[in-house]
Amino acid sequence: MSVQQKIPAAQQRHSTKVITALRRFAISISVLNIFGYTVLGFEQPWAWPFIALATAYTVEIVLEMIGARTEGRAPRFRGNGFRGLVEFLYPAHITGLAVNMLSYVNDLVWVMVFGVIVAVGTKWVLRAPVRGRMRHYMNPSNFGIAVILLLFPWASIAPPYQFTEYVDGGFDWLVPAIIVALGTMLNAKLTERMWLIVAWVGGFVIQAVVRGLLFGTSIPAALAMMTGVAFVLFTNYMITDPGTTPSSRKGQIAFGGGVAAAYGVLTALGIAYGLFFATALVCLIRGIHLWTVDIADRKRAQEREQISSDLATPQGPDTGQATDGQCAGGCAGECVCTPRPAVTAEEAERQKVTVAA
């Protein structure tokens, strides 16, 4: 019996395949941070990743305990010992490291902590029904960074050069190549988001050409962004988040193409950090769509239930409707009958006298 089978279905948070993907995501981003601080040139203080992780773990566990108590169930990190706790914290681990790694808030660590709290907390606030279960639809890491950029105009994303600042001689190309190779295998085999990546990359090329033709943007310069490590990380490890993106082929194409189109519009309007704002916008649109579909489905279900209830209601002479295959008006078979008018008390008394006579 597998580990996931030992845990009651009501307490399972992710499938075995998703847990494997999260584990590899967590390992990849951890290794990248280790190399980033020792070899590549990350500029955040050494203690900040640990502060980010402590914050993310704490918020995740506290909110899960509150949610479990509210919903009358056991917390999902219980039931499988230490391994169950580790698997439960994979998303928080990824979110905490990503927010710290991709944002730059000078020396104000509390701003980074605030971003992590928002990123983890949004999973309990911005939710929508998906296949009968409430699921978060906003990409946590992306949303936390976007909120930092909106509320603190002096903040920025981490400088792209920090990923290759201390490597040269061809090794600066090796870093993005490794990320692409590992990310492609991960998304092809586990997250199954290759259609989303194709739509996103293809859409990015199209929006760059369109901006060049319509607004005079340098097309080579617009496309050069695709060669940076930040773009590669975003493509392979952020936009492909399996928890906040569609699973169907059409849905993935719409999502990836939508982010590319939104980025093109935001950039044409002169809005900086368009990648993060475009992703948040498309996630929000998807959330609204999920709620709209759910409301429409519930309305149709209520209508079907009402029709079934009407058909199951016993029909008799008091309703003026058909009994034993004959309508109240005397016609047989399938016909439309008009309900009898209500009988007043005087008419009922008169009918009794007539019958008695």
Side-chain angles (χ1 to χ4, degrees):
M1 182 178 292
S2 67
V3 171
Q4 292 302 308
Q5 291 174 330
K6 295 179 182 179
I7 303 175
Q11 298 183 32
Q12 289 186 15
R13 192 182 191 193
H14 301 294
S15 66
T16 303
K17 194 171 187 178
V18 172
I19 288 178
T20 302
L22 289 172
R23 181 187 302 114
R24 295 187 182 180
F25 266 116
I27 293 173
S28 297
I29 197 170
S30 299
V31 171
L32 179 59
N33 270 263
I34 293 172
F35 275 94
Y37 280 96
T38 58
V39 178
L40 301 180
F42 282 14
E43 298 191 353
Q44 298 90 342
W46 281 70
W48 284 25
F50 300 101
I51 296 174
L53 289 177
T55 302
Y57 293 166
T58 302
V59 174
E60 187 80 71
I61 291 175
V62 170
L63 291 180
E64 172 62 20
M65 292 178 66
I66 295 174
R69 184 172 183 178
T70 302
E71 298 171 5
R73 57 173 175 79
R76 295 188 180 94
F77 54 81
R78 294 180 181 174
N80 193 29
F82 181 73
R83 180 173 181 174
L85 176 62
V86 171
E87 292 178 347
F88 171 81
L89 290 175
Y90 281 152
H93 184 91
I94 296 168
T95 299
L97 289 181
V99 172
N100 175 67
M101 180 179 67
L102 296 176
S103 61
Y104 189 78
V105 294
N106 297 321
D107 60 345
L108 300 179
V109 65
W110 66 269
V111 177
M112 183 272 292
V113 170
F114 170 76
V116 174
I117 293 174
V118 170
V120 177
T122 188
K123 294 190 294 184
W124 290 89
V125 178
L126 300 179
R127 309 172 81 185
V130 179
R131 300 185 184 92
R133 297 177 57 188
M134 295 299 294
R135 301 286 300 273
H136 66 283
Y137 57 82
M138 188 66 70
N139 186 304
S141 305
N142 182 87
F143 187 71
I145 296 172
V147 170
I148 289 176
L149 297 174
L150 279 175
L151 297 183
F152 307 99
W154 46 265
S156 66
I157 62 171
Y161 62 77
Q162 78 170 9
F163 294 99
T164 55
E165 185 174 6
Y166 298 136
V167 292
D168 52 17
F171 288 100
D172 52 341
W173 285 93
L174 183 62
V175 174
I178 293 175
I179 295 174
V180 169
L182 295 178
T184 300
M185 289 189 294
L186 179 64
N187 288 298
K189 293 184 177 181
L190 295 175
T191 68
E192 299 179 348
R193 293 299 188 272
M194 291 306 299
W195 285 106
L196 191 153
I197 292 177
V198 171
W200 154 245
V201 174
F204 191 91
V205 173
I206 294 174
Q207 65 82 30
V209 174
V210 171
R211 285 195 292 124
L213 297 177
L214 297 181
F215 304 104
T217 303
S218 172
I219 296 178
L223 294 176
M225 179 180 172
M226 301 175 66
T227 63
V229 177
F231 182 90
V232 173
L233 282 172
F234 180 87
T235 300
N236 288 276
Y237 292 96
M238 181 167 286
I239 195 176
T240 56
D241 176 23
T244 57
T245 55
S247 299
S248 67
R249 178 185 301 182
K250 292 182 179 179
Q252 290 185 39
I253 293 174
F255 189 94
V259 173
Y263 169 81
V265 172
L266 293 174
T267 304
L269 294 175
I271 299 176
Y273 313 121
L275 285 181
F276 301 96
F277 295 137
T279 304
L281 178 61
V282 174
C283 285
L284 177 61
I285 294 174
R286 178 172 177 262
I288 295 174
H289 170 72
L290 291 173
W291 272 112
T292 302
V293 170
D294 181 73
I295 292 173
D297 289 343
R298 284 189 290 175
K299 185 177 180 180
R300 285 193 293 267
Q302 290 175 355
E303 291 176 350
R304 289 194 297 267
E305 183 178 351
Q306 183 62 41
I307 293 174
S308 299
S309 177
D310 292 342
L311 293 176
T313 301
Q315 299 177 350
D318 290 341
T319 63
Q321 296 182 4
T323 57
D324 298 331
Q326 188 174 7
C327 285
C331 59
E334 296 182 359
C335 57
V336 179
C337 297
T338 304
R340 293 176 179 174
V343 179
T344 64
E346 295 180 357
E347 292 176 345
E349 187 64 27
R350 189 165 51 253
Q351 292 176 1
K352 290 181 180 179
V353 173
T354 302
V355 171

